[in-house]
């Protein structure tokens, strides 16, 4: 079984309050917030004000994914805004120990992410430090990309490492996840599935959430 974390990047920004409340009504427990700085990835997206607004609108776990250069410069503002978990990329912080402690000192959970072209071996030795590892199944920067099939095998490698070492680290997958691509990821060991357009465009979101919660 797995939780779905809708990516608000695919929501209707003009109706964000309604969108996140509807997500909660569908059974969602987490929201995924993609933060891009226009430097680490070629796009510019959400800031702390959006996290703060969502925090006032609905009581859901805010999973903030920092696709940014110098992620440590962003931890404080997002934690203050209401983030529950802050995830940064190993590509932006190859020696992540200091960043983890900064996040924990702010009262948040800590996550580490890796891009599709980053060998999983680079992140495995650090997983004992983290609450979550986020495996990208598309190259970050834009929504609506196609799922990279090799992600399933990469997910299985990470999940097996976590299990073998008895680590309290969740495995999250982000990018092109849908009703079709999701089940093999759950079978591979994924705990959290980030869905953007696949969630917000679904005609029966409650059924979508239930289908993975019971898988």
């Amino acid at each position: 079984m797995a939780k779905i974390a809708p990516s608000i990047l695919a929501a209707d920004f003009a109706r964000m309050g309604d969108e996140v409340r509807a997500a909660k009504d569908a059974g969602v427990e987490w929201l995924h917030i993609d933060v891009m700085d226009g430097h680490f990835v070629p796009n510019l997206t959400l800031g702390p004000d959006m996290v703060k607004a969502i925090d006032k609108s609905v009581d859901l776990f805010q999973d903030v994914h920092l696709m940014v250069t110098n992620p440590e410069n962003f931890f404080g503002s997002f934690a203050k805004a209401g983030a529950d978990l802050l995830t940064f990329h190993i590509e932006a912080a190859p020696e992540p120990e200091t960043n983890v402690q900064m996040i924990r000192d702010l009262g948040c959970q800590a996550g580490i992410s890796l891009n599709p072209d980053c060998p999983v071996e680079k992140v495995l030795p650090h997983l004992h430090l983290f609450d979550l590892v986020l495996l990208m199944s598309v190259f970050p920067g834009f929504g609506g990309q196609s799922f990279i099939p090799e992600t399933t095998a990469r997910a299985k490698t990470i999940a097996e490492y976590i299990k073998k070492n008895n680590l309290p680290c969740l495995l999250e997958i982000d990018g092109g996840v849908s009703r079709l691509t999701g089940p093999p990821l759950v079978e591979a060991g994924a705990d959290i599935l980030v869905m953007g357009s696949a969630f917000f465009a679904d005609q029966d979101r409650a059924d979508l959430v239930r289908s993975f919660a019971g898988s």
Side-chain angles (χ1 to χ4, degrees):
M1 57 188 296
K3 295 182 186 295
I4 290 177
S7 171
I8 66 165
L9 195 61
D12 182 346
F13 275 39
R15 301 176 48 254
M16 186 59 72
D18 292 337
E19 289 276 60
V20 296
R21 285 187 289 269
K24 182 175 182 179
D25 290 343
V28 163
E29 299 177 13
W30 285 35
L31 291 175
H32 189 81
I33 294 89
D34 288 306
V35 178
M36 308 180 196
D37 63 357
H39 186 263
F40 183 75
V41 292
N43 200 356
L44 187 66
T45 57
L46 310 170
D49 286 347
M50 180 62 81
V51 171
K52 186 176 181 179
I54 291 173
D55 199 49
K56 290 181 178 179
S57 298
V58 68
D59 181 21
L60 289 174
F61 188 91
Q62 293 212 56
D63 167 24
V64 176
H65 178 196
L66 298 170
M67 290 170 274
V68 300
T69 304
N70 300 319
E72 64 277 3
N73 295 339
F74 296 80
F75 296 158
S77 58
F78 279 96
K80 185 178 179 180
D84 295 290
L85 184 150
L86 295 169
T87 296
F88 61 93
H89 275 254
I90 194 164
E91 295 91 350
E95 302 297 331
E97 288 79 4
T98 300
N99 283 355
V100 172
Q101 191 57 53
M102 289 177 66
I103 291 173
R104 298 213 184 281
D105 288 346
L106 290 165
C108 294
Q109 293 184 30
I112 189 75
S113 185
L114 65 160
N115 286 335
D117 57 353
C118 179
V120 297
E121 289 74 19
K122 286 191 175 182
V123 77
L124 296 181
H126 304 291
L127 294 188
H128 65 284
L129 300 171
F130 290 92
D131 300 288
L132 177 144
V133 54
L134 170 54
L135 177 62
M136 294 300 300
S137 43
V138 299
F139 284 92
F142 298 95
Q145 298 183 61
S146 297
F147 177 81
I148 297 174
E150 290 78 12
T151 303
T152 306
R154 284 161 58 81
K156 185 175 182 180
T157 298
I158 294 173
E160 288 177 345
Y161 182 89
I162 290 171
K163 183 177 182 180
K164 179 181 178 181
N165 292 277
N166 196 29
L167 302 179
C169 182
L170 298 175
L171 172 57
E172 183 175 53
I173 314 294
D174 182 7
V177 181
S178 65
R179 285 184 184 266
L180 180 63
T181 60
L185 293 171
V186 177
E187 185 176 350
D191 302 292
I192 311 291
L193 301 176
V194 177
M195 288 191 188
S197 54
F199 176 83
F200 286 102
D202 199 283
Q203 297 302 306
D204 192 343
R205 298 174 184 176
D207 175 74
L208 176 62
V209 173
R210 286 193 303 269
S211 68
F212 284 96
S215 59

